[in-house]
């Protein structure tokens, strides 16, 4: 009888544990659907404070009449210049400080809006996939530059409320142009300056398997928000290639268009930069073709 009672208790315990495990699993899944917690470095600028000010890191007074400390341009944190060197990378950008969408650092933008990816990327891609996948010369043909600027201004002004529907812009090439412009105007390219040399080296590898392996390692050098945006874009471009018989855009053609858009050489001489173009194309082409394996 005692043995039966113990057995029953053990069953109850194991049932309770399984319930708890499934709850934890569900909570984890739900959490992964939310915007990821990207790390972001503070964007400190020397600042002159009016009236008495205390450092928000060490809590000591900021002495002096001018340039007493530094202020983060993205979240407004005020600290001593010395303290700024040890402040953790926990900047939480405030929409009052982040005034625009284009030309804004990618991680800053997604943290300020608490999203996985920049809303420009999501909204443009969704619009293109809804009505443009069969459009001949998609991404190769340019839309009117005045209208592309118009879309840019709409995003800067209205954010996710910007209207980029066919009612506002009938020509899909205006939307593709706006997306390419967004990537071109990033202060730090989607494939960052730091990671650039590694990606170019990858493009020079002739063996396909070794190139894939190298590319997989190179992707680890990207900040999480950059890597997530690149993953989303490559999955989209792969879908574009599935309509190649209509749009005439192969992964090679898209590599030619997106290579220089996503990768910019960090202060290289003109000759080296020119030489890099074919490797940029190869990198993007490989990313598109193998997006399901690489990400």
């Amino acid at each position: 009888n005692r043995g039966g009672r113990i057995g029953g208790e053990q069953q109850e315990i194991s049932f309770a544990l399984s319930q708890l495990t499934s709850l934890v699993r569900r909570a984890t899944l739900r959490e992964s659907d939310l915007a990821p917690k990207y790390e972001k470095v503070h964007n400190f600028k020397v600042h002159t404070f009016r009236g008495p000010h205390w450092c928000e890191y060490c809590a000591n007074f900021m002495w002096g009449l001018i340039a007493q400390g530094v202020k983060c341009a993205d979240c407004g944190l005020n600290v001593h210049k010395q303290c700024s060197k040890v402040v953790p990378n926990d900047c939480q950008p405030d929409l009052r400080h982040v005034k625009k969408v284009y030309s804004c650092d990618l991680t800053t933008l997604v943290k300020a809006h608490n999203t996985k990816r920049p809303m420009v990327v999501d909204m443009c891609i969704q619009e293109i996939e809804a009505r443009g996948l069969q459009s001949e010369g998609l991404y190769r043909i340019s839309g009117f530059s005045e209208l592309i600027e118009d879309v840019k201004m709409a995003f800067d002004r209205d954010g996710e409320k910007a209207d980029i529907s066919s009612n506002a812009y009938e020509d899909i090439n205006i939307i593709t142009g706006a997306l390419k412009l967004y990537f071109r105007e990033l202060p730090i390219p989607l494939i960052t300056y730091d990671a650039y040399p590694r990606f170019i080296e990858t493009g020079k590898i002739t063996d396909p398997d070794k190139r894939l392996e190298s590319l997989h390692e190179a992707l680890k050098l990207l900040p999480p928000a950059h890597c997530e945006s690149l993953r989303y874009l490559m999955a989209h471009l792969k879908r574009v290639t599935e309509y190649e018989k209509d749009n005439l855009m192969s992964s090679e053609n898209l590599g030619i268009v997106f290579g220089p858009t996503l990768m910019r050489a960090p202060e290289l001489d003109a000759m080296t930069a020119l030489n890099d173009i074919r490797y940029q194309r190869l990198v993007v082409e490989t990313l598109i073709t193998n997006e399901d394996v690489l990400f």
Side-chain angles (χ1 to χ4, degrees):
N1 194 23
R2 189 166 169 268
R5 197 169 67 245
I6 290 168
E9 283 171 0
Q10 283 174 336
Q11 275 184 327
E12 280 176 29
I13 290 166
S14 65
F15 176 70
L17 278 172
S18 72
Q19 289 291 91
L20 190 62
T21 308
S22 74
L23 276 172
V24 169
R25 197 181 296 118
R26 278 207 297 277
T28 311
L29 283 171
R30 267 203 302 278
E31 203 168 289
S32 66
D33 288 341
L34 302 173
K37 292 173 175 59
Y38 297 135
E39 251 195 20
K40 180 180 144 30
V41 181
H42 288 276
N43 181 16
F44 286 121
K45 302 268 195 293
V46 175
H47 193 78
T48 296
F49 298 97
R50 292 182 181 184
H53 260 78
W54 283 263
C55 173
E56 292 176 46
Y57 181 73
C58 72
N60 288 320
F61 189 70
M62 289 178 165
W63 296 97
L65 295 173
I66 59 162
Q68 305 96 322
V70 292
K71 184 185 186 85
C72 176
D74 297 333
C75 73
L77 183 75
N78 305 320
V79 295
H80 288 114
K81 197 173 179 184
Q82 283 304 107
C83 291
S84 71
K85 294 169 186 167
V86 290
V87 169
N89 298 337
D90 58 357
C91 176
Q92 294 292 338
D94 189 322
L95 284 173
R96 286 173 302 176
H97 298 283
V98 180
K99 295 280 193 279
K100 54 187 179 176
V101 170
Y102 277 68
S103 307
C104 174
D105 172 68
L106 192 147
T107 304
T108 302
L109 188 71
V110 296
K111 277 188 78 88
H113 289 270
N114 197 28
T115 54
K116 253 186 174 182
R117 296 172 295 272
M119 86 278 283
V120 184
V121 176
D122 280 19
M123 287 173 67
C124 286
I125 285 177
Q126 283 157 19
E127 194 63 33
I128 293 157
E129 296 205 350
R131 61 185 174 100
L133 288 174
Q134 291 170 301
S135 177
E136 190 177 320
L138 192 68
Y139 285 112
R140 185 178 53 77
I141 295 170
S142 299
F144 285 116
S145 55
E146 297 86 3
L147 292 174
I148 291 169
E149 278 296 320
D150 204 36
V151 173
K152 172 187 167 176
M153 282 164 62
F155 274 116
D156 280 342
R157 186 182 61 243
D158 307 322
E160 63 268 15
K161 292 186 177 72
D163 180 10
I164 58 166
S165 67
S166 55
N167 299 331
Y169 304 100
E170 199 181 336
D171 182 7
I172 199 66
N173 298 314
I174 293 158
I175 310 303
T176 58
L179 182 62
K180 288 188 291 181
L181 182 66
Y182 171 74
F183 287 122
R184 275 202 305 276
E185 290 197 353
L186 281 173
I188 299 169
L190 192 60
I191 290 173
T192 60
Y193 292 126
D194 287 346
Y196 182 88
R198 184 67 185 269
F199 276 87
I200 290 297
E201 285 310 307
T202 293
K204 293 176 180 176
I205 298 168
T206 49
D207 181 278
D209 289 338
K210 284 182 181 165
R211 185 191 294 164
L212 265 188
E213 210 174 294
S214 177
L215 205 46
H216 192 261
E217 289 305 306
L219 285 167
K220 292 176 186 173
L221 301 176
L222 296 179
H226 283 246
C227 196
E228 169 54 30
S229 302
L230 184 64
R231 180 199 67 77
Y232 191 72
L233 177 65
M234 291 304 121
H236 161 63
L237 294 180
K238 180 80 168 277
R239 286 191 287 276
V240 170
T241 64
E242 287 164 10
Y243 290 83
E244 189 188 338
K245 62 176 178 19
D246 301 308
N247 60 37
L248 309 180
M249 294 304 286
S250 62
S251 55
E252 185 181 348
N253 290 342
L254 290 165
I256 292 165
V257 172
F258 275 95
T261 304
L262 305 180
M263 301 173 73
R264 293 198 299 279
E267 296 169 16
L268 290 181
D269 61 274
M271 201 61 212
T272 313
L274 204 63
N275 225 7
D276 281 358
I277 289 174
R278 61 179 164 159
Y279 302 120
Q280 291 171 352
R281 173 185 66 77
L282 271 170
V283 165
V284 175
E285 191 184 332
T286 310
L287 283 168
I288 296 168
T289 314
N290 302 282
E291 59 83 25
D292 52 337
V293 181
L294 288 166
F295 295 99

